């Protein structure tokens, strides 16, 4: 089982934290609002604890469950507290019209996180292609990307502990395209699919 720290106390932190506790993982919650962190840890149960903002996280895997604009500044603020950690960025940096990404073509929030994180930390993009409600009720594939095979193996083991299938999409440069995939998922919800109760996944037709 894994030890994880959720930085953030919103919808995704609650959804991932709930699955993590059910999967027997050790869970810590950190939030810039300590009251919210305390409250979420209590609501999660299963021995979940609340840490102090910007302290060294207890978890080996640190999930930044933050709105995209906050992710890079918060990782920079934590600084050396994240040394040796596997940082999982789940954010979707959409533009205001939901038809493009909010940053330049060649980067990703995960890629920018890697630039400000300690050299000994590893960055993995994951979970961004799954709507919160699907995480709560479904068994979607979880796409991920990152440069460090050991870090991805650790995140894959965590994902499997949630009862979900991890699918490795390659190196950290692919985080850009996973962010695009998040955008496509939202576009499908608003157009062809017409609701939010679905996730993109992989069906294999191997004969
Ligand atoms: N919801 C989904 O279906 C979904 C699906 C896939 C990916 N995502 C991604 O997951 C991330 C979290 O989404 P969410 O739905 O959980 O959002 P949310 O419910 O609005 O929660 C956002 C969290 O981020 C914190 N936060 C925002 N800006 C911050 C900053 N500058 N510094 C520190 N903390 C900050 C908020 O803290 P306060 O409460 O103190 O404001 C809150 O804890 C987003 O990047 C989103 O794109 C969401």
């Amino acid at each position: 089982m894994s030890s994880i720290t959720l930085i953030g106390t919103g919808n995704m932190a609650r959804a991932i934290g709930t699955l993590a506790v059910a999967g027997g993982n050790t869970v810590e919650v950190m939030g810039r609002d300590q009251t919210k962190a305390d409250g979420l840890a209590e609501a999660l149960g299963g021995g979940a604890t609340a840490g102090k903002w910007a302290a060294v996280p207890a978890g080996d895997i640190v999930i930044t469950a933050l709105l995209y604009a906050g992710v890079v500044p918060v990782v920079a603020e934590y600084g050396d507290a994240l040394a040796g950690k596997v940082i999982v960025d789940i954010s979707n940096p959409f533009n205001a019209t939901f038809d493009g990404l909010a940053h330049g073509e060649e980067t990703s929030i995960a890629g920018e996180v890697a630039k400000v994180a300690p050299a000994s930390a590893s960055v993995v993009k994951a979970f961004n292609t799954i709507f919160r409600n699907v995480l709560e009720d479904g068994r979607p594939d979880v796409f991920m990307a990152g440069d460090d095979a050991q870090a991805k193996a650790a995140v894959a083991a965590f994902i499997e502990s949630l009862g979900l299938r991890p699918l490795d999409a390659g190196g950290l440069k692919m985080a850009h395209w996973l962010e695009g995939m998040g955008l496509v998922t939202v576009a499908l919800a608003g157009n062809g699919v017409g609701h939010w109760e679905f996730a993109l996944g992989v069906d294999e037709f191997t004969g």
Side-chain angles (χ1 to χ4, degrees):
M1 289 303 117
S2 309
S3 62
I4 68 155
T5 293
L6 293 156
I7 303 181
T9 56
N11 292 317
M12 285 297 277
R14 183 175 294 267
I16 294 172
T18 300
L19 290 179
V21 166
N25 299 284
T26 303
V27 178
E28 179 187 52
V29 181
M30 289 174 158
R32 62 180 171 182
D33 181 333
Q34 190 65 42
T35 310
K36 288 184 182 177
D38 293 342
L40 180 55
E42 193 179 338
L44 291 177
T49 57
K52 300 286 178 222
W53 184 255
V56 175
D60 298 326
I61 296 174
V62 178
I63 302 173
T64 53
L66 304 165
L67 298 185
Y68 83 84
V71 177
V72 173
V74 166
V75 170
E77 182 185 349
Y78 269 70
D80 287 342
L82 295 175
K85 303 294 184 184
V86 176
I87 302 169
V88 179
D89 164 44
I90 68 167
S91 69
N92 277 317
F94 300 148
N95 69 11
T97 46
F98 291 87
D99 57 2
L101 297 177
H103 51 61
E105 286 298 310
E106 297 297 327
T107 191
S108 64
I109 297 298
E112 297 304 308
V113 165
K115 292 178 188 169
V116 301
S120 59
S122 301
V123 181
V124 176
K125 186 92 191 178
F127 290 103
N128 72 296
T129 62
I130 307 165
F131 299 135
R132 186 246 325 150
N133 53 296
V134 172
L135 262 186
E136 288 170 355
D137 299 329
R139 288 289 167 265
D141 289 339
V142 183
F143 296 95
M144 60 178 188
D147 288 338
D148 181 338
Q150 249 186 311
K152 279 195 290 195
V155 175
F158 171 62
I159 291 168
E160 282 168 354
S161 82
L162 311 183
L164 309 177
R165 178 170 70 153
L167 285 176
D168 184 357
L172 195 61
K173 279 190 88 172
M174 291 305 294
H176 175 77
W177 303 105
L178 290 186
E179 291 178 357
M181 198 170 158
L183 188 63
V184 169
T185 311
V186 169
L188 286 167
N191 293 280
V193 176
H195 60 78
W196 300 82
E197 308 294 332
F198 74 99
L200 299 186
V202 170
D203 289 330
E204 298 180 59
F205 302 98
T206 53

